[in-house]
Amino acid sequence: MAEHNSTPMSRGTSSTRSFSKHTKDDLNDFLSNELDKSTLSVSAETFLRFPNLQELWDTPEWSEMVGQVIADQRQMELRQAWDVMINEIDQYKPFCEWVEHIVPFFARLPLEPARKVRFVPSNNKELKCGPGYLNGKEVEGTSTAFRPDVVCLDDGVKEWNKWSQVLVPMEFKKGISSSTATATTTATATTTATAKTTATTSGNVTPALPTSASQLLPPIHLRSSQSRANPKRSREGGDESLPEGKKAKTYTPPHFYSVATTTPAPPPPPNRYTPTKNDIQLARYAMETFAAVGDRTHVFAVLVVRPNVTLWYFDRCGAVCTSTLNIFQQDNFVVFLKFLSALVYMTDDVLGFNPFFANSSSTAPAGTRETLFGLTLTIPDSDNETLTLQEVLDRRTGVVGRATLVCKAELKKNVEGKTQVQEVVIKSSWQHSIRTPELDILHELHENDQAQDHIVRYFHGWEQTEATVSSQRAKFGEPTPSVVDDRALRHTVLEYLNPITKLSQPFHIPSIGWNIMQAIEFLNSMQWFHRDISIGNMGFSLHPECKGAVIKLHDFDLSKRHTSNSGAPHWTGTVPFMSIELLEKTNAPHMIGFEVEALTWTLLWIVRVYKDGEDKNPVADHPLKGWFSNGKTLEDIAATKIQYLQNTSGLTNEFYQALGDQFRDFVRTWRKLRDLQVDERYEKNNNSLVSEKVYGMEGFNAIQTWMQNNRWNEPQERCTCGQHCLPSNVETSADDP
């Protein structure tokens, strides 16, 4: 799978994807790609192992309760009321009434429920979708709303209007009513067979379904239940176009989105399938449920195409689903009852709520918490320190990927009876489990004292116990659904860095360029590549004595040791700032020059797009929209950047006009270096050659020399010690670097 976004921890904006509008087609393509590469089909029996309730389902009380549900006259009437509805939207309410009637039967079972649940139709209620963030605040115009079909809520939610309240989202599609189906010989035979006493999947004998059409309807075989593993899976009901006004509206994201991408995953397993529009829409519901608060490890969901349902499970490596289950058949109806009971009896962590947040100071039940802020969390490797969350700085949407959540927090430490408080960030990210943890990288780098001038400081870090995708999927039992590129949930507590865009004046830009070059050189001396130099991964703190800006790199999730042969996806970066060579050759071994070129594009971005620290360009008219990934191939973006290097004017906007001549010369210098590569390719008759003269230390030294000749290494507005530039008219964090 492609690696989702790098993480701007310095209160930068973010999104799941790139700069283009999140239209329905854009989202459909994005989620279709995720599902197509990552979805596995399992049996209903395997799926139901996850809640770990088989002991309950083996009790005599369960068998008795199932018989009572099946024989209940009101239940049959309500199901019939759902069955006769022709229009999809008209099905929501009777379906909910039917399920709501069934759920109270579970109170007869010998187990204390974990929660009370209820099922609610949308009733044209639109739920606010996850917005983009800028400087720790929602970006105006990036939050939209759309309607799920039906949701399962905690009964404590009296007025629902947020995705944070959704326990299980449901997607409906118009199905065929059993009352209009043509009975076939096969259907009649199946009806006769299933009208007899049959065994449930748990092995208990349960009374057969009544066959009277006025009661619980007999099994109807409109089509055979086809496995979702079949890539040519048929689409019931013909056209799958979405009902007017029901689905996602156009979504315009913030002006800067960091999208890190990696090489494609290995070929998917043989039981992959082609996602339908219904599946994609259900994935959109799961995506919003994931993103609403940031405290979910996985999400269950249900697709209903009457008389069939499909049970879904989404995690950060993809999805697991059952085959289509005709719940008008008794064995599948019992499966559905088991799933409904699981929603009542599953513990919060099994339902998908992260126990790291659930075990905090908050007492709000799962599904009723609207925010993580104000929670006080314990740090596993510390006895006298706690974290109090303050605000979101970055929260990534999407289903598959790192799903990075970054919160500003207060680190409180008890020292001799006194509480010391420090401003920090806590970053939670589902990283590839075979990657070196960011904490280990930072620890190694900070063994060298020079790191404090270039690299974000760290305080704590840990990998959450039992929080890998493989350990989650182990709950399905044997054979465990396979995981491609397993991910582990890792938490890191780091110093808070002010966003680099707060160094917004023209005299700041040379200092940013020079200091990041020094950080790249330091990493190179320590045998590391950052691999995601971008505007979101730079920040600064204030030196406590001179009050100068100490400019640093952060977000080392995707960093790589020079000699590493890790099996993790290796091609990565933020597309608008990525080297031309990486865009053209995704398998190119990483070189220091790729870091320098990423810095070059970042600086060019700032001076063309930002005005006094803000990018207010509309997406449609963005001056650098040719650098975006959506709707363009990587080769298109590379060609756009090559052409951009030919510009002799227009490289800066009016705000940065004073830097115009320097950037003309800066671009010319880089263009001439790339011309050397063209000559070398010609001489060696190798069109894919990546020249050391450009992308090796020779190229690095050439750019560093240019900066020195243009006095970028000398701060124009100096602090009292003379080594740092001064910030101007900004509120900043002033921790000791």
Side-chain angles (χ1 to χ4, degrees):
M1 291 303 297
E3 180 77 56
H4 288 262
N5 331 15
S6 59
T7 306
M9 286 189 344
S10 57
R11 302 183 68 168
T13 36
S14 65
S15 175
T16 335
R17 293 164 286 281
S18 67
F19 297 75
S20 76
K21 290 185 177 181
H22 287 201
T23 62
K24 184 178 77 174
D25 290 342
D26 172 37
L27 285 165
N28 284 356
D29 290 345
F30 172 74
L31 291 170
S32 176
N33 182 62
E34 288 195 342
L35 291 177
D36 184 57
K37 295 179 179 179
S38 68
T39 301
L40 298 171
S41 178
V42 299
S43 67
E45 181 181 7
T46 296
F47 195 92
L48 288 173
R49 290 180 189 145
F50 197 98
N52 193 28
L53 292 171
Q54 191 60 49
E55 186 175 342
L56 172 67
W57 298 329
D58 285 338
T59 63
E61 290 87 347
W62 170 263
S63 296
E64 182 180 358
M65 186 275 299
V66 170
Q68 292 169 346
V69 172
I70 290 174
D72 184 76
Q73 183 66 33
R74 181 59 178 160
Q75 178 270 132
M76 289 185 276
E77 292 171 353
L78 291 171
R79 202 203 74 161
Q80 180 72 2
W82 167 44
D83 185 48
V84 299
M85 291 299 172
I86 298 176
N87 295 325
E88 175 194 327
I89 294 177
D90 293 335
Q91 294 183 35
Y92 305 161
K93 183 178 179 181
F95 173 84
C96 290
E97 290 175 343
W98 176 54
V99 175
E100 290 261 274
H101 180 79
I102 292 173
V103 169
F105 280 85
F106 302 144
R108 306 175 186 185
L109 300 175
L111 186 64
E112 187 70 24
R115 68 192 60 80
K116 293 182 179 180
V117 298
R118 61 193 180 101
F119 294 78
V120 183
S122 66
N123 292 331
N124 295 323
K125 185 184 294 290
E126 293 187 340
L127 302 187
K128 182 179 179 182
C129 300
Y133 284 87
L134 174 63
N135 295 341
K137 299 178 181 179
E138 294 184 12
V139 177
E140 184 178 355
T142 65
S143 179
T144 58
F146 75 112
R147 297 189 291 273
D149 295 340
V150 169
V151 294
C152 174
L153 305 173
D154 186 282
D155 192 52
V157 176
K158 300 307 178 185
E159 182 177 352
W160 71 286
N161 52 18
K162 297 180 176 65
W163 282 102
S164 60
Q165 300 167 322
V166 175
L167 296 180
V168 176
M170 297 186 178
E171 164 70 357
F172 276 62
K173 170 152 175 53
K174 178 181 178 181
I176 302 175
S177 170
S178 63
S179 61
T180 61
T182 301
T184 63
T185 302
T186 301
T188 303
T190 305
T191 299
T192 303
T194 56
K196 300 176 181 179
T197 300
T198 59
T200 68
T201 55
S202 67
N204 294 319
V205 176
T206 307
L209 295 175
T211 58
S212 169
S214 64
Q215 298 176 351
L216 193 57
L217 296 174
I220 298 169
H221 293 276
L222 304 176
R223 54 184 282 279
S224 61
S225 294
Q226 189 174 18
S227 170
R228 304 179 69 82
N230 186 349
K232 295 183 179 180
R233 173 173 171 246
S234 62
R235 289 168 166 80
E236 298 154 288
D239 182 17
E240 285 198 4
S241 58
L242 305 176
E244 183 68 26
K246 177 189 124 180
K247 303 302 180 185
K249 296 181 178 180
T250 298
Y251 173 42
T252 305
H255 305 302
F256 173 74
Y257 318 118
S258 173
V259 183
T261 314
T262 59
T263 49
N271 63 338
R272 64 174 286 182
Y273 81 107
T274 300
T276 68
K277 290 182 179 179
N278 299 315
D279 303 338
I280 294 167
Q281 188 64 24
L282 191 67
R284 176 72 195 275
Y285 297 162
M287 181 180 80
E288 296 300 341
T289 306
F290 268 127
V293 177
D295 63 345
R296 301 292 286 267
T297 57
H298 55 274
V299 172
F300 288 99
V302 180
L303 174 62
V304 181
V305 187
R306 188 190 58 201
N308 301 316
V309 301
T310 307
L311 307 179
W312 282 80
Y313 158 96
F314 295 91
D315 60 27
R316 294 310 185 177
C317 284
V320 177
C321 65
T322 66
S323 58
T324 301
L325 304 170
N326 183 341
I327 59 173
F328 287 11
Q329 298 175 357
Q330 175 168 309
D331 53 351
N332 291 334
F333 178 65
V334 174
V335 168
F336 186 56
L337 287 180
K338 288 183 176 181
F339 179 74
L340 293 178
S341 70
L343 300 182
V344 173
Y345 292 106
M346 276 191 289
T347 57
D348 287 348
D349 60 317
V350 178
L351 186 56
F353 290 88
N354 190 341
F356 175 62
F357 298 110
N359 293 336
S360 70
S361 60
S362 172
T363 58
T368 62
R369 180 189 295 128
E370 297 182 7
T371 179
L372 297 176
F373 312 130
L375 300 186
T376 297
L377 310 175
T378 57
I379 300 174
D381 59 354
S382 178
D383 295 331
N384 64 342
E385 292 176 286
T386 59
L387 283 167
T388 300
L389 305 186
Q390 294 181 310
E391 60 177 319
V392 64
L393 303 182
D394 185 33
R395 182 170 62 216
R396 298 307 171 89
T397 55
V399 175
V400 179
R402 286 189 289 161
T404 303
L405 172 70
V406 183
C407 295
K408 192 174 183 180
E410 287 185 339
L411 178 62
K412 298 179 180 180
K413 184 175 183 179
N414 190 307
V415 180
E416 297 180 351
K418 296 183 179 180
T419 301
Q420 297 179 352
V421 180
Q422 186 165 9
E423 193 175 52
V424 297
V425 297
I426 177 170
K427 171 183 169 185
S428 302
S429 181
W430 289 87
Q431 301 169 16
H432 284 295
S433 58
I434 61 174
R435 286 196 190 278
T436 303
E438 183 176 27
L439 177 75
D440 294 351
I441 298 172
L442 294 174
H443 178 75
E444 179 179 331
L445 294 175
H446 278 277
E447 288 181 344
N448 187 319
D449 290 341
Q450 295 180 40
Q452 65 180 344
D453 297 324
H454 309 297
I455 308 299
V456 65
R457 285 186 300 152
Y458 70 96
F459 300 100
H460 299 281
W462 63 95
E463 184 172 303
Q464 186 170 320
T465 305
E466 297 297 318
T468 60
V469 171
S470 58
S471 66
Q472 289 181 184
R473 292 194 181 184
K475 294 183 176 69
F476 288 112
E478 297 294 338
T480 300
S482 61
V483 178
V484 177
D485 294 331
D486 193 16
R487 292 179 180 272
L489 180 56
R490 294 168 177 165
H491 306 278
T492 315
V493 181
L494 305 142
E495 73 172 312
Y496 171 75
L497 296 180
N498 300 286
I500 201 66
T501 52
K502 283 192 173 183
L503 296 179
S504 61
Q505 299 305 305
F507 70 82
H508 288 132
I509 305 305
S511 287
I512 294 172
W514 176 255
N515 280 278
I516 297 301
M517 280 290 285
Q518 303 318 296
I520 293 170
E521 186 174 35
F522 169 75
L523 287 173
N524 190 64
S525 71
M526 297 291 289
Q527 301 297 299
W528 281 92
F529 292 126
H530 185 278
R531 301 204 311 159
D532 193 13
I533 305 292
S534 64
I535 194 171
N537 291 336
M538 308 172 185
F540 71 97
S541 61
L542 293 186
H543 196 286
E545 296 177 1
C546 68
K547 306 304 179 186
V550 183
I551 299 170
K552 303 181 181 184
L553 284 173
H554 58 73
D555 193 352
F556 288 80
D557 279 357
L558 306 179
S559 297
K560 178 180 179 292
R561 194 187 302 276
H562 287 189
T563 57
S564 171
N565 291 315
S566 167
H570 63 278
W571 180 77
T572 188
T574 301
V575 171
F577 312 115
M578 193 177 289
S579 165
I580 292 171
E581 295 306 313
L582 277 177
L583 292 170
E584 292 182 331
K585 297 180 243 350
T586 59
N587 61 347
H590 206 81
M591 301 176 70
I592 191 172
F594 297 166
E595 314 267 86
V596 175
E597 187 173 357
L599 170 61
T600 299
W601 295 118
T602 301
L603 296 175
L604 288 170
W605 179 276
I606 293 173
V607 299
R608 183 66 181 86
V609 168
Y610 277 79
K611 295 181 180 180
D612 200 14
E614 296 186 4
D615 174 8
K616 294 185 176 181
N617 296 283
V619 174
D621 301 321
H622 200 281
L624 298 180
K625 62 183 178 182
W627 300 12
F628 307 170
S629 60
N630 283 49
K632 297 179 180 296
T633 66
L634 298 179
E635 292 78 7
D636 289 339
I637 297 171
T640 298
K641 288 185 171 184
I642 290 172
Q643 184 60 42
Y644 198 81
L645 293 177
Q646 306 303 315
N647 289 339
T648 58
S649 62
L651 296 170
T652 60
N653 58 29
E654 184 178 354
F655 185 80
Y656 288 108
Q657 188 174 4
L659 297 175
D661 289 343
Q662 284 197 27
F663 271 89
R664 286 178 66 244
D665 194 49
F666 185 47
V667 167
R668 179 171 176 265
T669 299
W670 186 252
R671 183 175 68 245
K672 291 174 70 174
L673 283 174
R674 284 188 50 82
D675 288 344
L676 293 176
Q677 179 172 266
V678 173
D679 293 342
E680 189 173 353
R681 286 177 174 178
Y682 176 80
E683 293 168 0
K684 297 183 178 181
N685 194 25
N686 182 355
N687 199 44
S688 62
L689 179 145
V690 181
S691 175
E692 283 284 333
K693 296 177 181 178
V694 184
Y695 292 103
M697 281 306 299
E698 190 173 341
F700 175 90
N701 291 332
I703 295 300
Q704 184 167 252
T705 298
W706 182 92
M707 290 183 175
Q708 289 172 324
N709 290 340
N710 285 272
R711 302 178 68 179
W712 280 27
N713 58 325
E714 301 176 13
Q716 296 180 33
E717 298 283 343
R718 302 190 182 198
C719 63
T720 56
C721 80
Q723 300 300 311
H724 314 100
C725 69
L726 282 176
S728 58
N729 301 322
V730 292
E731 296 179 3
T732 53
S733 174
D735 288 330
D736 183 357

